[in-house]
Amino acid sequence: MTIASSSPPSRLPAGGATETPSKPRTRRDDVSGNRGDGRLAAVFIAPALLGFLVFLLWPTLRGIYLSFTRFNLLTPAEWVGLDNYVRMVNDPIFWDSLTVTVEYVVINIGVQTIAALAIAVLLQRLTQSAMLRGIVLTPYLMSNVVAGLVWLWILDTQLGVGNEIISALGADRIPFLADETWAIPTIALINVWRHVGYTALLLFAGLQAIPNDMYEAARVDGASEWRMFWRITMPLLRPVLAVVLIMTVIGSFQVFDTVAVTTAGGPANATNVLQYYIYGSAFGRFQFGYASAMSVALLVVLSAITILQYRLTRAGRTDLG
């Protein structure tokens, strides 16, 4: 008589091989994996970081240092302390250039924002054709210098196509870029023409994030397009619009190319914007220390404006969700 074993028969996998339990993942494995990911991330970040250090951080620190010196490229920099800043405060041309720049920024931002918002809403509400978006973006593909030269020819008082049309209509020719009153608004509108398509597409991307259900519910309630724009579109577009405004304001304060190729700061310094005055001080009169001081002042102004805009527009918060 055989006695049955109380233990169950062992089950072996096919081929007679025994199963080995998987080794549990240890903290050391996680650390090694994180280190590998960190090295790979560092490889991808390195080119951008190198460009940031070489072309942005170092020139900024160098410019701040030079703002406290007298430097003309021919002799070593001489430390003068706050002399350049005292000169800047007492320089009437600096304040006039700042005033001209602010005038340009107000016209450019006001017209560009309204026009870009209108174009973006029309693209989103009426048509979303990719070809039409490409046409809207076309002027932005042109450089500032080329755009300035084209409009300089169009608006020329004697031979320009624009003034030829005005003359054919029976009106007097307008010296758009040769008159103190017309010069800055004309330059602002030239840059509006070039940048409005790009700004409109940024706002269009923000409009795409607004759920269509909200518009459909509003239509059911009998809301008009105008009411939906103010009650739905504007509140929900606010974070994107705030970021776009910050970007465009910073870019507007740095206007240079269009002025350089159209008016060269004239007539009678009517378009002598701050960037052009800084350029003239540095490369025209070789006063690099003073030009650096004005550049630092512009950096401070732009930083303050950006922080103020960010807080007033609540750019970091959204009404969605």
Side-chain angles (χ1 to χ4, degrees), residues 7-28:
S7 60
S10 61
R11 296 180 180 178
L12 297 177
T18 59
E19 292 183 352
T20 57
S22 59
K23 183 179 179 181
R25 188 175 180 86
T26 64
R27 186 176 180 182
R28 180 176 298 176

Side-chain angles (χ1 to χ4, degrees), residues 75-205:
T75 59
E78 177 186 354
W79 184 268
V80 295
L82 297 175
D83 288 359
N84 288 323
Y85 291 95
V86 173
R87 175 186 172 186
M88 180 182 66
V89 171
N90 296 316
D91 185 0
I93 301 179
F94 168 79
W95 293 108
D96 182 67
S97 297
L98 184 59
T99 303
V100 170
T101 305
V102 171
E103 178 187 355
Y104 166 84
V105 170
V106 170
I107 298 173
N108 184 44
I109 296 302
V111 176
Q112 183 179 161
T113 302
I114 295 173
L117 187 58
I119 294 172
V121 171
L122 290 175
L123 287 174
Q124 196 254 353
R125 307 294 291 152
L126 299 181
T127 178
Q128 296 189 14
S129 168
M131 180 178 295
L132 188 58
R133 291 200 297 267
I135 294 173
V136 169
L137 189 62
T138 301
Y140 185 74
L141 303 179
M142 187 183 303
S143 70
N144 280 330
V145 172
V146 174
L149 290 174
V150 168
W151 281 101
L152 178 64
W153 172 72
I154 293 174
L155 300 176
D156 184 82
T157 308
Q158 301 300 325
L159 304 175
V161 175
N163 267 304
E164 287 293 335
I165 296 174
I166 292 174
S167 179
L169 294 174
D172 295 333
R173 294 175 180 267
I174 302 174
F176 289 101
L177 294 168
D179 183 82
E180 296 180 27
T181 304
W182 285 95
I184 276 294
T186 301
I187 291 175
L189 293 178
I190 290 173
N191 283 327
V192 166
W193 171 82
R194 181 179 179 269
H195 293 91
V196 69
Y198 177 72
T199 306
L201 288 184
L202 292 179
L203 296 177
F204 174 78

